[in-house]
C-alpha cells in the first residue's frame, strides 16, 4: 500500500491534470459507468461539523475509492483545514487497498478542478476578469483552476474577514505568479462580481454572498459551497437570468444543495429550467455556451467519481515517479 501526502501529490500532479481527471469523472458518471451512492452524512451540531463518507466504483477502471471528509468550518479560526480528509484507493480486481492519499489535498484539487472543467467547457473564450468569493481551505485551488482554464488578466477576491482576505491575496500572488494575473482584494462582493467573466463562490454561507444584479451578461458562475439543503450562497435571482443551468450530478444537487432546493421550493425556478449535467456537455450530448452574452450557472456538490479518478491518476503518476511511502 502506498501512502501519499500533500507534498508527494504536489510533486507529481498539476491542476491541469486534475481538470482532465475530473472531466473524465464527469463523463463516466453521466454515462452511468460509475457507481456512486449518495454520501453518508452525519451531523456534529455541538462542534458545527459534518462527517461525510463518499464511496465510488468504476468497473471499467478496475478501481474503487472511499473518501472520508469532515467539514468543520470553525477550524479556519484555528488555522486548521476546514475539510480534513483521507482517500482510500482500492484495486478493483483484488479488493486490496492500493493507496491512502491526503484527502484534504485531493478534495481541494478535484473541487477546484470541477470549476476549472466547467469554465473550460462553458466560459467565454476571451474571459479576462475573474471573481472569487471566499478564502477558506478550498479557495486556493478554485483560484488556480480558473487561471488554468482561462488566460485571465485580473481576479478580484472578496472575503468577509479583511485580514484573511489580504493575507490570502498576498500569498496567492506569490504562489500563482506564473499565471500572470493580477490578484486584487475587492472592497465588497459587488466590487468583485461587477466585471467578472467567471465567478466562483466557495463559502459555507446560509445566505447569498453576491447580488445577481451585479453579474454582467456573459458571466459563467460556479457555486461550490452549498453542499447541504440549509446552505445558500447563490443569489437565486441569477437563475431566471441564466440561459443554462448545469450540474456535476443533478440527482446529488437536488438531494443536497440549498442553492437549488430553496429556489425550487419558493417557485423562483422549476426543474424545466435545468439544462443537465456537465458530463453530457463534455460528451457532446448537450450544447454548451452558444453566444458571449449567455449567463451560465454551474452548481456542484461533489461526487465520489471525482475523488476516484483524481486518486487513480495521482497514484499512477506516483508509482511511475517512485514517489510516496510504502506500508507493508
Amino acid at each position: 500500500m502506498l501512502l501519499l501526502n500533500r507534498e508527494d501529490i504536489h510533486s507529481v500532479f498539476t491542476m491541469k491534470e486534475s481538470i482532465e481527471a475530473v472531466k473524465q469523472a464527469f463523463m463516466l458518471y453521466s454515462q452511468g459507468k460509475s457507481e456512486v451512492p449518495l454520501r453518508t452524512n452525519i451531523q456534529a451540531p455541538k462542534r458545527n461539523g459534518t462527517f461525510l463518507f463518499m464511496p465510488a466504483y468504476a468497473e471499467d477502471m478496475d478501481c474503487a475509492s472511499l473518501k472520508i471528509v469532515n467539514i468543520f468550518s470553525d477550524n479556519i479560526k484555528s488555522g486548521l483545514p476546514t475539510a480534513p480528509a483521507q482517500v482510500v484507493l482500492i484495486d478493483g480486481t483484488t479488493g486490496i487497498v492500493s493507496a491512502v492519499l491526503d484527502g484534504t489535498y485531493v478534495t481541494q484539487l478535484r473541487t477546484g478542478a470541477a470549476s476549472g472543467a466547467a469554465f473550460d467547457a462553458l466560459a467565454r473564450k476571451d474571459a479576462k476578469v475573474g471573481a472569487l468569493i471566499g478564502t477558506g481551505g478550498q479557495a486556493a485551488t478554485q483560484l488556480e483552476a480558473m487561471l488554468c482554464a482561462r488566460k485571465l488578466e485580473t481576479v478580484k477576491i472578496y472575503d468577509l474577514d479583511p485580514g484573511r482576505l489580504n493575507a490570502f491575496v498576498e500569498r496567492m500572488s506569490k504562489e500563482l505568479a506564473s499565471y500572470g494575473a493580477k490578484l486584487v482584494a475587492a472592497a465588497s462582493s459587488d466590487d468583485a462580481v461587477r466585471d467578472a467573466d467567471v465567478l466562483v463562490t466557495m463559502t459555507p454561507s446560509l445566505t447569498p454572498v453576491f447580488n445577481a444584479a451585479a453579474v454582467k451578461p456573459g458571466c459563467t458562475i460556479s457555486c461550490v459551497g452549498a453542499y447541504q439543503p440549509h446552505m445558500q450562497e447563490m443569489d437565486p435571482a441569477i437563475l431566471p437570468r441564466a440561459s443554462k443551468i448545469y450540474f456535476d450530478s443533478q440527482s446529488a444537487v437536488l438531494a443536497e444543495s440549498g442553492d437549488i432546493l430553496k429556489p425550487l421550493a419558493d417557485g423562483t425556478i422549476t426543474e424545466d429550467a435545468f439544462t443537465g449535467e456537465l458530463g453530457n456537455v463534455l460528451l457532446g450530448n448537450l450544447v454548451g455556451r452558444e453566444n458571449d452574452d449567455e449567463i451560465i450557472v454551474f452548481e456542484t456538490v461533489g461526487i465520489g467519481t471525482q475523488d476516484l479518478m483524481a486518486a487513480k491518476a495521482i497514484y499512477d503518476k506516483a508509482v511511475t515517479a517512485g514517489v510516496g511511502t510504502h506500508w507493508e
Side-chain angles (χ1 to χ4, degrees):
M1 181 169 63
L2 192 62
L3 305 179
L4 295 168
N5 62 27
R6 183 186 182 98
E7 290 72 26
D8 296 329
I9 297 168
H10 187 266
S11 71
V12 298
F13 204 62
T14 66
M15 176 53 71
K16 183 177 180 180
E17 290 169 325
S18 185
I19 290 173
E20 292 307 311
V22 166
K23 285 182 181 179
Q24 291 298 316
F26 287 156
M27 288 188 284
L28 276 175
Y29 179 81
S30 292
Q31 288 174 306
K33 292 185 176 181
S34 64
E35 189 76 21
V36 191
L38 283 177
R39 71 186 94 200
T40 298
N41 183 323
I42 300 173
Q43 295 294 308
K46 184 178 178 181
R47 302 299 181 188
N48 191 27
T50 305
F51 300 98
L52 299 172
F53 303 89
M54 300 173 62
Y57 172 56
E59 186 173 33
D60 289 356
M61 303 300 296
D62 275 330
C63 59
S65 66
L66 174 66
K67 185 169 76 174
I68 303 165
V69 55
N70 307 315
I71 312 297
F72 281 66
S73 300
D74 291 344
N75 281 3
I76 196 169
K77 300 172 185 176
S78 305
L80 297 172
T82 56
Q86 290 75 39
V87 176
V88 178
L89 181 66
I90 304 164
D91 188 320
T93 64
T94 65
I96 295 172
V97 173
S98 304
V100 177
L101 300 87
D102 180 337
T104 300
Y105 192 42
V106 172
T107 301
Q108 290 168 347
L109 283 172
R110 66 79 149 159
T111 306
S115 293
F119 292 148
D120 191 50
L122 303 171
R124 291 176 54 141
K125 299 298 183 185
D126 63 351
K128 298 299 181 186
V129 179
L132 172 67
I133 299 178
T135 62
Q138 301 287 331
T141 50
Q142 292 291 329
L143 176 57
E144 183 173 9
M146 71 166 74
L147 293 172
C148 192
R150 288 292 182 269
K151 184 66 175 175
L152 301 179
E153 295 176 353
T154 305
V155 180
K156 292 186 175 182
I157 304 166
Y158 179 69
D159 192 279
L160 289 172
D161 184 325
R164 190 165 67 224
L165 169 61
N166 290 326
F168 178 82
V169 170
E170 182 178 358
R171 176 169 64 88
M172 299 314 298
S173 293
K174 296 175 183 176
E175 292 185 11
L176 301 179
S178 62
Y179 286 99
K182 182 180 181 181
L183 308 185
V184 179
S188 65
S189 174
D190 278 2
D191 178 38
V193 169
R194 189 170 293 112
D195 298 317
D197 299 303
V198 294
L199 163 64
V200 172
T201 60
M202 181 66 250
T203 76
S205 182
L206 306 185
T207 57
V209 298
F210 69 90
N211 175 9
V215 176
K216 74 175 188 178
C219 186
T220 304
I221 304 165
S222 178
C223 291
V224 185
Y227 64 92
Q228 294 186 65
H230 66 284
M231 294 174 145
Q232 186 179 28
E233 58 177 1
M234 182 196 301
D235 181 350
I238 199 63
L239 294 170
R241 292 184 61 198
S243 300
K244 299 180 175 70
I245 302 168
Y246 298 97
F247 310 107
D248 52 356
S249 161
Q250 184 161 324
S251 62
V253 168
L254 291 180
E256 298 177 346
S257 177
D259 272 347
I260 300 299
L261 291 173
K262 290 184 178 184
L264 279 175
D266 66 19
T268 299
I269 54 165
T270 67
E271 292 194 26
D272 290 340
F274 302 157
T275 312
E277 293 173 348
L278 181 60
N280 278 317
V281 177
L282 298 170
L283 288 164
N285 299 329
L286 278 179
V287 67
R289 175 174 291 277
E290 294 180 279
N291 64 68
D292 285 347
D293 290 328
E294 288 184 305
I295 292 174
I296 295 179
V297 169
F298 174 64
E299 180 73 32
T300 171
V301 293
I303 53 176
T305 314
Q306 292 171 253
D307 302 302
L308 174 62
M309 295 303 292
K312 179 66 165 59
I314 292 165
Y315 172 74
D316 288 345
K317 290 207 70 182
V319 169
T320 300
V323 167
T325 301
H326 288 276
W327 184 33
E328 301 297 335

